[in-house]
Amino acid sequence: MTDDFEPEHLRLLEALLFASHQPLDERDLAEKLPADSAVGALLAELQRQYAGRGVNLVRREDKWAF
């Protein structure tokens, strides 16, 4: 993990993506996260953490989903 974001923001992002019934774009995610969230860095870190697992964070066009 890097210092580019708060760990709590990462947990919130993870929960939002798992709870969503449809893929979300970065704008939608940013609206639901604290204002100082580094959404791009959070997504990259979450994607890194899930790489190689049975569930992966993927980007399709401009939207993200597990």
Side-chain angles (χ1 to χ4, degrees), residues 13 17 42-48 50-51 55-59 64-66:
L13 175 66
L17 288 165
L42 289 166
L43 287 164
E45 176 60 18
L46 199 56
Q47 191 172 43
R48 186 195 67 74
Y50 275 86
V55 175
N56 290 287
L57 178 60
V58 295
R59 181 178 180 184
W64 293 84
F66 276 109

Side-chain angles (χ1 to χ4, degrees), residues 4-52:
D4 293 343
F5 52 82
E6 294 290 327
E8 180 64 21
H9 295 183
L10 187 65
R11 288 188 290 274
L12 288 170
L13 175 66
E14 182 179 31
L16 286 167
L17 288 165
F18 268 118
S20 179
H21 58 75
Q22 62 187 19
L24 298 169
D25 64 26
E26 290 186 32
R27 183 178 42 106
D28 291 333
L29 292 166
E31 290 174 359
K32 293 171 176 58
L33 292 169
D36 61 339
S37 296
V39 178
L42 289 166
L43 287 164
E45 176 60 18
L46 199 56
Q47 191 172 43
R48 186 195 67 74
Q49 288 183 10
Y50 275 86

